[in-house]
Amino acid sequence: ADAKSLRETVDKLKDKLKSAAIVLGSIADGKVTLIAGVTGDLVTKVKAGELVNHVATQVGGKGGGRPDMAQAGGTQPEHLGKALASVRGWVEAKL
């Protein structure tokens, strides 16, 4: 999925879940695309920009954005699974 599709999916999930921190990632042409979204009730504790940067650093990249939506990229797709697996613990530590 491209960045636009990932953003649209995050928006739909935020609407459906009502209270969530979400990170989606995709790999295309050897590059990682990441999108993070945080629902309004959690943005004081969990910032999407910090969350996406946490994941991006593990896949050889960086990113940022607004407290409720952020985007990043990376160049090490082989680390994406492990990076995404780290999201739950990072979010729980912030809450």
Side-chain angles (χ1 to χ4, degrees), residues 40-94:
D41 64 318
L42 298 179
V43 294
T44 58
K45 297 177 182 173
V46 179
K47 306 272 190 265
E50 293 174 8
L51 175 56
V52 82
N53 207 40
H54 164 74
V55 178
T57 57
Q58 297 176 66
V59 294
K62 62 182 179 177
R66 302 185 318 262
D68 65 326
M69 179 81 75
Q71 182 173 335
T75 58
Q76 300 170 344
E78 66 274 15
H79 300 298
L80 182 59
K82 184 177 178 185
L84 290 174
S86 74
V87 169
R88 183 182 185 115
W90 188 92
V91 171
E92 287 175 346
K94 294 289 183 178

Side-chain angles (χ1 to χ4, degrees), residues 13-22 37-43 91 95:
L13 288 169
K14 284 169 49 179
D15 288 343
K16 183 176 183 177
L17 298 173
K18 303 299 182 208
S19 182
I22 304 158
V38 178
T39 53
D41 64 318
L42 298 179
V43 294
V91 171
L95 297 175

